[in-house]
Amino acid sequence: QNAETYSKYVEIDKSPRTFLQLRSHMRYVEEFTLTPLLTETLYDTLKTQYKASNLTTANLLLIPFLEPVLAHLSIARAITMMNVRLKPSGAVEHSIKAVATGNKQEQKASSDMLEAFQLESENTGSAYLNKLIKFLNENASDYPGFENSDSYSTTTPTLSGGKNEQSTTSGIFNSL
């Protein structure tokens, strides 16, 4: 993924700087959400093929499921963390203030707005994750590593509140 692809799912104004700030959160989602779901073998194969622009037909079909899961779950994780910085004196909230008159002033989003945004992003990411799980379960024979894993189920688990009732971890990839 890149900033432009990420912006298709979560509006970040195609900003490379914002995208770079989200990378650690994307790696977290990859490691603790997607990798356990897909299996390490399938995940590593996807990353290798993706980087080489040589995805198999079956793996290419996974990308439209993986990208929105990664975008929404990483922003849900990042939203409260991006405005907080750790300093030697402790945790502080980042805010932007105009230095001179005439400068555009921005004020930090309220905690209620951040909470609502985080919850919506988490719910949206979970909905996409449900779609991914359903697709994988229905097409398991195309993904032998997945079919032989604990993640495979003939019944599709339901995710709610960002928690996978089948597994609490998963990952995706722009760390690709």
Side-chain angles (χ1 to χ4, degrees), residues 124-142:
T124 303
S126 293
Y128 279 112
L129 191 55
N130 279 330
K131 285 180 68 170
L132 170 61
I133 292 168
K134 183 177 187 279
F135 176 84
L136 285 168
N137 283 328
E138 290 173 352
N139 297 281
S141 62
D142 293 334

Side-chain angles (χ1 to χ4, degrees), residues 127-163:
Y128 279 112
L129 191 55
N130 279 330
K131 285 180 68 170
L132 170 61
I133 292 168
K134 183 177 187 279
F135 176 84
L136 285 168
N137 283 328
E138 290 173 352
N139 297 281
S141 62
D142 293 334
Y143 308 97
F146 174 80
E147 187 175 34
N148 298 321
S149 75
D150 292 339
S151 295
Y152 174 65
S153 174
T154 54
T155 61
T156 302
T158 300
L159 300 178
S160 60
K163 302 288 187 222

Side-chain angles (χ1 to χ4, degrees), residues 29 34 65-74 125 128-129 132 172:
V29 172
L34 296 174
F65 294 100
L66 295 171
E67 288 178 339
V69 170
L70 179 61
H72 288 284
L73 292 182
S74 63
Y128 279 112
L129 191 55
L132 170 61
I172 189 176

Side-chain angles (χ1 to χ4, degrees), residues 20-107:
L20 287 174
Q21 289 181 324
L22 292 166
R23 289 186 69 147
S24 66
H25 304 288
M26 288 186 273
R27 282 190 293 273
Y28 179 90
V29 172
E30 291 172 357
E31 184 175 347
F32 292 104
T33 301
L34 296 174
T35 299
L37 172 67
L38 298 174
T39 74
E40 194 166 327
T41 301
L42 177 55
Y43 178 76
D44 289 344
T45 300
L46 281 166
K47 280 182 75 166
T48 301
Q49 290 177 2
Y50 187 87
K51 286 179 182 179
S53 299
N54 190 26
L55 287 160
T56 64
T57 302
N59 289 345
L60 186 62
L61 292 172
L62 291 175
I63 300 303
F65 294 100
L66 295 171
E67 288 178 339
V69 170
L70 179 61
H72 288 284
L73 292 182
S74 63
I75 199 72
R77 184 175 189 279
I79 194 65
T80 55
M81 300 174 82
M82 287 180 69
N83 286 328
V84 176
R85 298 288 181 254
L86 297 176
K87 305 274 183 175
S89 60
V92 296
E93 291 183 32
H94 172 70
S95 63
I96 300 169
K97 295 184 179 181
V99 178
T101 325
N103 286 350
K104 180 180 174 186
Q105 291 190 356
E106 295 182 69
Q107 99 184 48

